[in-house]
Structure formats: C-alpha cells, structure tokens
C-alpha cells in the first residue's frame, strides 16, 4: 500500500513538473526536450529529489515513448517514397559512418581503451537518437520540410547498421567466438531485410485490416500491432524504433490520418517520459570529472554530423538553409549510445561516464542548435 501511494505521488509530481517545464519552453518557442533532460538529472541518482518508486514505470514508459515517436513519424510518409529515398542515400550512409565513427575510435585509442572499448565508443559517437530527432521535427513543425526524408533515410540506415553492430559487440564483449558474432550479424540483417520486403509487398493490406470507425478500436489495433512488431524487432537485435517506423510507413490514407490523431496525446505523454528517463539514468557525480574530454568529443562529432546532414540534404538538391537544418537535427545522441555502453558493462572505468556525459551534452545542445538553424537572422 505504501509503495502504491509513493508511486502515485511521485508520478503526479513528475507529470506536474513536466507540464510546467513544457509550458515554459513553449512560451519561448523552444523544444522542451532539454528541460526534460535536466529534470531527469535532478530527479535521478545524486539529484536533489530522487524518485525511486516511479523508476520502473519511467523505464517502461520510455520504451513505449520511442515506439510511439517513430510510429507517428512513419505515418507521415509512404513506404514507396521512402524506399526510393533509402536507395538514393546509400552514399550518405557511408559518409555518416566514416565521419562519425572515426572520432570515437580515435578518442578510444587516445584514452588507451582496448579493441572492444574502441569499438563501443565508435558506435556511441556514430548513432543519432531516432526518438529525439522525431520529437524535434514535430516540435519545430519540420516534418513536412523537403530535407526531412533525407534526415529519416540517414536515421534508418543507422538503425540498420545497428542491427549488425549490436550483435557483434554483444558477442565480443561477452567473450564469444568470431563465428557466433557472424551468425548474429547475419540473422539480424536478414530479419531487417525481410521486414522491409514484407512491408513493401503486403503493407497495403494492413490499413484495411486495422481500420475501424470507432477511434478506440483503431487506437488499440494500431498500438497492439506496433508493440508486437517492436518486440520482434528487439528479439533479433534490431531497434524497436525501426519496427514501429515500418508499421507507420505501411499505413496510408485515411487510416494513417486518424491513427495520428488518436495516438497524438499518448505519444506526447510517453515521449516526455522517455526524455525524463535519459536524465534519470545519469548520476551527476560521475559526469563532472569527464566533462572536458566529453565536451571535446561532442564538439568534433557535432561538426561531423552537421557535415553528414548537409551532404545528405544536398543529394536531394536542398538549398543551404535546409542543409543546415538537416545537419543540426542529426546532432543529438541518446538512447542507442546508452545501450551500447550497457553491452560492454564496466570493462573500462571511464568509458561509461564519458559516454554518459557526451550523450547528455549533445542531447541538450542539439535541440538548441536545431532551433537556431531555423532562425532567419542566422541563415542570412
């Protein structure tokens, strides 16, 4: 009984605080994401007001938040158009990998990490946060912008690369053999390609299957299918976000429009919990000693992501303002980098706090830079 009271009270206070912070951000036409992250830092371990009873709910809600963010983003596009964009942006994926994994690998070598630590740090600097990018595009009303398909193509390519990278890292970090790592990579990549093929071939039947005149029925059907697909994606070491995004792409027309409307409030609630959870996972005491190298690494990889976005947008013949918006949108790092560090555990005492500080810096700085990139004065 006491646990229930503590849980309800902490959740009530958390949601009230998020409401106040969100209203303050909207007042100045800013994304509330950085404020949510700072709130999580204040409520986490070593913070001023820990919330131990609500921790499990927040962790679960964060996973749902990522799924809903990518589902509703996928509902904005058609699978045929997006598949064409993916083919066009294969060179962008190569540029993204080279420019953004290299700084992490070099930093790991300079810090004296072993081969697995270097591989982990390279992955942490390479991968952008799909959940944060999706929220930024929505907050800044840029989902319909011409550069957005290029941004999403880069993100999906990164997630596909993660399908190969995460099983490889997990096996190597646990001391497995090379053939086990190869089998894991082949299984994960095969599952991603099969999912894309199935969505492309039979996705048009999905709308008729899920459609219903009652909004409640539509919400339950779409959400139930999305969570199931997301779980299957995680089972084969593919991001749950990719599974949710594919479901959104497969739905078109009136079904997609109504699904966006009924899922919007639910997405906003769990998205706020997702950003709060990232802050909660950080212990402020661990961040301070490693802030200098984390700041240096963040500055370098912010610049390389900016170049990546500009290159990808240029391939779609987007002008310089759109190229700048694309580059700054990709700067944010988040949940995937934290997952990577979780796989390698405590192999090196400084690796986890370094990556945590790095993620936190870019998760806060990224939304501000993205907002500034749309300012007419800056563009001029």
């Amino acid at each position: 009984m006491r646990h229930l009271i503590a849980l309800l009270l902490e959740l009530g206070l958390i949601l009230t605080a998020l409401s106040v912070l969100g209203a303050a951000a909207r007042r100045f036409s800013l994304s509330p994401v950085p404020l949510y992250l700072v709130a999580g830092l204040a409520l986490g371990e070593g913070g001023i007001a820990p919330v131990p009873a609500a921790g499990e709910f927040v962790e679960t809600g964060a996973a749902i938040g990522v799924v809903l963010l990518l589902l509703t983003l996928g509902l904005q596009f058609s699978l045929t158009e997006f598949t064409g964009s993916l083919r066009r942006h294969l060179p962008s994926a190569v540029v993204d990998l080279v420019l953004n994994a290299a700084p992490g690998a070099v930093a790991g070598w300079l810090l004296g990490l072993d081969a697995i630590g270097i591989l982990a740090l390279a992955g942490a600097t390479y991968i952008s946060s799909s959940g944060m990018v999706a929220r930024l595009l929505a907050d800044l009303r840029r989902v319909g912008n011409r550069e957005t398909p290029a941004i999403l193509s880069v993100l999906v390519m990164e997630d596909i690369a993660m399908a190969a990278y995460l099983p490889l890292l997990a096996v190597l970090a646990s001391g497995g053999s090379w053939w086990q790592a190869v089998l894991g990579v082949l299984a994960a990549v095969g599952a991603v390609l099969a999912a894309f093929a199935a969505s492309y071939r039979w996705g048009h039947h999905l709308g008729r299957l899920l459609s219903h005149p009652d909004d409640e029925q539509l919400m339950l059907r779409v959400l139930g299918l999305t969570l199931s697909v997301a779980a299957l994606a995680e089972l084969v070491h593919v991001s749950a976000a990719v599974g949710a995004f594919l479901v959104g792409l497969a739905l078109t027309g009136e079904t997609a429009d109504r699904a966006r409307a009924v899922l919007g409030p639910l997405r906003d609630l769990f998205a706020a919990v997702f950003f709060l959870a990232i802050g909660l996972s950080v212990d402020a005491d661990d961040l301070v000693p490693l802030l200098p190298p984390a700041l240096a690494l963040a500055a370098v990889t912010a610049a390389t992501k900016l170049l990546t976005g500009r290159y990808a947008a240029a391939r779609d013949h987007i002008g310089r303002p759109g190229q700048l918006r694309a580059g700054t949108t990709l700067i944010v790092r988040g949940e995937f980098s934290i997952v990577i560090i979780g796989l390698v555990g405590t192999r090196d005492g400084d690796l986890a706090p370094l990556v945590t500080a790095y993620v936190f810096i870019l998760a806060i700085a990224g939304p501000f830079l993205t907002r500034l990139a749309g300012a007419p004065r800056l563009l001029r």
Side-chain angles (χ1 to χ4, degrees):
M1 186 66 178
R2 288 183 178 179
H3 177 74
L4 178 61
I5 294 172
L7 171 63
L8 295 176
L9 179 60
E10 288 180 7
L11 286 178
L13 294 175
I14 286 172
L15 295 179
T16 302
L18 292 179
S19 171
V20 172
L21 293 173
R26 304 292 183 199
R27 175 68 179 80
F28 297 99
S29 301
L30 297 172
S31 170
V33 170
L35 296 181
Y36 293 161
L37 292 168
V38 173
L41 184 64
L43 298 176
E45 283 188 44
I48 58 176
V51 284
E56 187 174 345
F57 173 87
V58 171
E59 184 178 351
T60 304
I64 297 173
V66 176
V67 168
L68 289 174
L69 280 167
L70 271 295
L71 168 65
T72 53
L73 191 60
L75 290 170
Q76 304 276 355
F77 302 93
S78 74
L79 186 60
T80 303
E81 293 172 345
F82 192 73
T83 304
S85 180
L86 280 181
R87 294 196 202 100
R88 189 165 59 254
H89 283 288
L90 282 173
S92 303
V94 175
V95 169
D96 183 29
L97 177 62
V98 173
L99 286 181
N100 296 288
V106 172
W109 175 70
L110 292 174
L111 291 170
L113 302 181
D114 61 11
I116 295 175
I118 291 173
L119 181 64
L121 190 53
T125 59
Y126 162 64
I127 185 74
S128 298
S129 170
S130 300
M132 289 191 181
V133 171
R135 179 58 188 263
L136 286 175
L137 292 172
D139 284 344
L140 300 175
R141 295 182 175 87
R142 296 181 186 172
V143 173
N145 283 18
R146 289 185 60 222
E147 73 271 7
T148 297
I151 295 171
L152 296 180
S153 295
V154 170
L155 288 176
V156 171
M157 290 290 190
E158 287 182 352
D159 286 349
I160 293 173
M162 283 292 110
Y165 171 84
L166 290 177
L168 174 66
L169 182 65
V171 171
L172 294 177
S174 63
S177 61
W178 66 268
W179 64 267
Q180 290 175 311
V182 170
L183 285 178
V185 169
L186 291 176
V189 173
V192 172
L193 295 177
F196 266 103
S199 295
Y200 191 82
R201 179 68 180 83
W202 297 293
H204 59 283
H205 297 297
L206 193 59
R208 292 197 295 269
L209 181 65
L210 298 181
S211 181
H212 195 278
D214 182 65
D215 287 346
E216 180 184 352
Q217 278 294 314
L218 178 65
M219 179 186 70
L220 293 175
R221 292 181 182 188
V222 172
L223 188 57
L225 175 66
T226 303
L227 293 176
S228 300
V229 172
L232 291 174
E234 285 288 334
L235 183 64
V236 293
H237 300 288
V238 182
S239 165
V242 171
F245 189 67
L246 283 175
V247 173
L249 286 176
L251 295 175
T252 57
E254 182 185 357
T255 302
D257 294 336
R258 290 182 57 221
R260 282 199 305 271
V262 299
L263 290 170
L266 200 62
R267 174 204 62 198
D268 293 340
L269 168 63
F270 284 103
V273 173
F274 162 63
F275 299 118
L276 180 80
I278 293 180
L280 282 174
S281 68
V282 176
D283 189 336
D285 293 336
D286 294 337
L287 299 184
V288 178
L290 290 166
L291 276 180
L295 281 167
L297 190 57
V300 171
T301 54
T304 53
K305 277 293 182 183
L306 180 61
L307 292 174
T308 298
R310 295 192 66 168
Y311 176 81
R315 289 190 62 82
D316 283 350
H317 308 291
I318 308 297
R320 286 191 177 183
Q323 294 175 23
L324 182 61
R325 290 193 298 267
T328 53
T329 302
L330 290 170
I331 286 175
V332 288
R333 308 304 202 277
E335 69 280 6
F336 288 111
S337 300
I338 301 297
V339 168
I340 288 169
I341 297 308
L343 289 177
V344 299
T346 57
R347 295 181 61 88
D348 185 280
D350 289 338
L351 182 59
L354 171 64
V355 172
T356 302
Y358 165 80
V359 167
F360 206 74
I361 290 166
L362 289 182
I364 292 177
F368 284 112
L369 294 173
T370 307
R371 176 72 176 81
L372 287 175
R377 181 179 301 175
L378 179 63
L379 294 177
R380 283 200 296 271

